[in-house]
Amino acid sequence: MIRWRSGVVSSVDRSWHGAVSLSVSVEGGASMPALAYPLLVGTPVVGDRVLLNVGAQLMGLGTGGYALVVALPDRLPADPPDDATTRDAGHMVKARYTPLQAIVQGVDEPSSPHANALSEASDIGGMPVVTADLHSALPAILAGILCDAPAARVAYVMTDGGALPAWFSRTLDGLRETLAGTVTVGQAFGGDLEATTVHSGLLAARHVLGADVTVVAQGPGNLGTGTTWGFSGVAVGEAVNAIAVLGGRPVGSLRISAADPRPRHHGVSHHSLTAYGRVALAPADLVVPAGVESLIGDALSPLASRHRIVTVAVDGLEEALLASPVRLSTMGRGLPEDREYFLAAAAAGRHAASLLA
C-alpha cells in the first residue's frame, strides 16, 4: 500500500503553478526528489521535516520520479480563511475519503457565482470537443486548433484517469496564458473550475469559460495493465457519449505512432480502437492525418460503420507544433521521435477548428 519515509528538506529546486519540487534527505543520508502541493500541505522550506509517500517513486512508476509530500508535521499550514462550519465557500469533496481529501467549490453548486448560469444549462450548442486518451496530446491538439483559428477560446476538461491534482502538470502551467481555463472533473481537482462529472465540466467550459472548442483528456500519467480493458484512457469513449448527449460535436484524436516499440501501440493504438470502437456509442469524427495511410492500414475499417473517418491535411502543423509554448513529450519521445503521434493530435485540433466556420 504505502511506503513511508521521514526526511528533511535539503533544497527547494523549482516551482510552478500549484507545485514545488524539493530534494529531501531521508534515513541513511540518501537524497530523494519530492513534490509538494502547497495548497494541500503548505510550502516547504529548507530544514522542514516532511513525511513522504515513496512507494511509486521506488518502483519507478508514473509520478514523474517524485516521492510525494504528505505533511509538514512540525509546521502545519494555516486553516483556509473561510468559515469551516458553513458551505458558503463550497462543499464539493475531491479525492474523497482519502487522508488528503480536499473541499472545493463546485462550479454549479448553490454557493458558486456561476450557479445561475448553469442551473438551466443542458446543452453545449454544437461545440466541437476533442477527446484524447493521453494528457500529452493536449498541447498538440491546442496547436492544431490555434493554427487555423488563432482567436478561438479553448478550454480543457481534465478527467481523473491520471494525476488527480491539475497542479502536477507542467504542461498546464505553460498553457495557462493560452487556454481559456481548465475544469477538473470527477476526483480530479486544482483546475480553474471544479465539476462533478464530464457532463457538468463540459457545460462549465461552454457557459462559464465561454469556450469555442474544448479538449477532454485525463491528467498526466495513466493507469494501464497491458490488457484491452485495463487502461484509464478508455474513458474517452464515455466522453464521446457525454459530448453527444449534451449536443456537442465529438472529434476523436487517434493515438497513432510509428515509434512505439510495443506492437499493440504501433499504427493505431489498440486503446483508440477499444475506446472509439467499443465504448463510444455515439458517432464521432475520427481524424487521420494525411500521409499515415500505410502506417494504419485498414485498422479503422471496423469503426467506419459508426464513426466518420476524416483525413485532414497536415500542411503547417509541424511548424505549429514546433512553436508550442510547452515541451512536447509522450512516453519520453518528443516531436522528432514520434512525429505521427503529435501530428495526429494536431490534425484533430485542426478539424475541430474547421467546425467553427
Side-chain angles (χ1 to χ4, degrees), residues 14 20 39 56 87 176-177 195 199 206 212 224 238 243 259 270 294 300 315 342 357:
R14 63 170 297 183
V20 178
L39 286 176
R87 299 184 177 191
R176 285 178 62 80
E177 299 303 316
H199 301 76
R206 182 64 163 179
D212 302 307
E238 299 289 2
I243 296 159
H270 74 112
S294 61
L300 297 177
D315 311 68
F342 294 106

Side-chain angles (χ1 to χ4, degrees), residues 21-87:
S21 66
L22 320 161
S23 294
V24 177
S25 297
V26 296
E27 296 93 333
S31 181
M32 183 171 285
L35 191 72
Y37 301 117
L39 286 176
L40 293 183
V41 301
T43 303
V45 298
V46 172
D48 276 340
R49 185 167 70 95
V50 292
L51 300 182
L52 302 175
N53 179 337
V54 302
Q57 199 270 348
L58 292 178
M59 293 181 70
L61 300 180
T63 59
Y66 296 109
L68 295 172
V69 176
V70 180
L72 281 62
D74 305 321
R75 197 169 61 84
L76 297 177
D79 286 346
D82 50 271
D83 185 348
T85 66
T86 75
R87 299 184 177 191

Side-chain angles (χ1 to χ4, degrees), residues 129-350:
V129 182
V130 186
T131 58
D133 69 2
L134 292 177
H135 188 70
S136 57
L138 172 62
I141 293 168
L142 186 61
I145 296 168
L146 298 181
C147 180
D148 291 359
R153 289 182 61 81
V154 185
Y156 171 46
V157 171
M158 183 180 125
T159 65
D160 55 12
L164 296 187
W167 309 313
F168 183 71
S169 175
R170 280 176 283 183
T171 294
L172 278 182
D173 180 57
L175 295 176
R176 285 178 62 80
E177 299 303 316
T178 307
L179 288 167
T182 294
V183 188
T184 35
V185 305
Q187 299 282 3
F189 57 92
D192 300 292
L193 299 172
E194 305 283 359
T196 306
T197 64
V198 172
H199 301 76
S200 56
L202 288 167
L203 290 168
R206 182 64 163 179
H207 298 288
V208 176
L209 296 177
D212 302 307
V213 184
T214 294
V215 181
V216 178
Q218 62 184 332
N222 59 81
L223 181 61
T225 61
T227 62
T228 298
W229 294 105
F231 174 58
S232 53
V234 168
V236 299
E238 299 289 2
V240 168
N241 298 334
I243 296 159
V245 164
L246 294 175
R249 184 75 181 267
V251 175
S253 175
L254 294 166
R255 184 173 168 185
I256 297 174
S257 177
D260 200 305
R262 298 166 294 179
R264 66 184 187 274
H265 294 305
H266 192 82
V268 182
S269 168
H270 74 112
H271 291 320
S272 287
L273 299 177
T274 300
Y276 296 119
R278 302 185 66 183
V279 181
L281 302 180
D285 292 355
L286 302 184
V287 178
V288 176
V292 303
E293 291 81 4
S294 61
L295 174 64
I296 67 174
D298 61 355
L300 297 177
S301 297
L303 281 63
S305 61
R306 178 178 304 156
H307 302 294
R308 177 172 171 242
I309 312 300
V310 183
T311 299
V312 171
V314 298
D315 311 68
L317 289 184
E318 193 158 356
E319 291 78 6
L321 290 167
L322 289 169
S324 172
V326 299
R327 184 172 67 94
L328 300 177
S329 178
T330 185
M331 305 297 173
R333 299 184 296 270
L335 178 59
E337 296 81 26
D338 210 343
R339 179 175 177 270
E340 290 80 6
Y341 172 82
F342 294 106
L343 278 178
R350 165 168 279 175

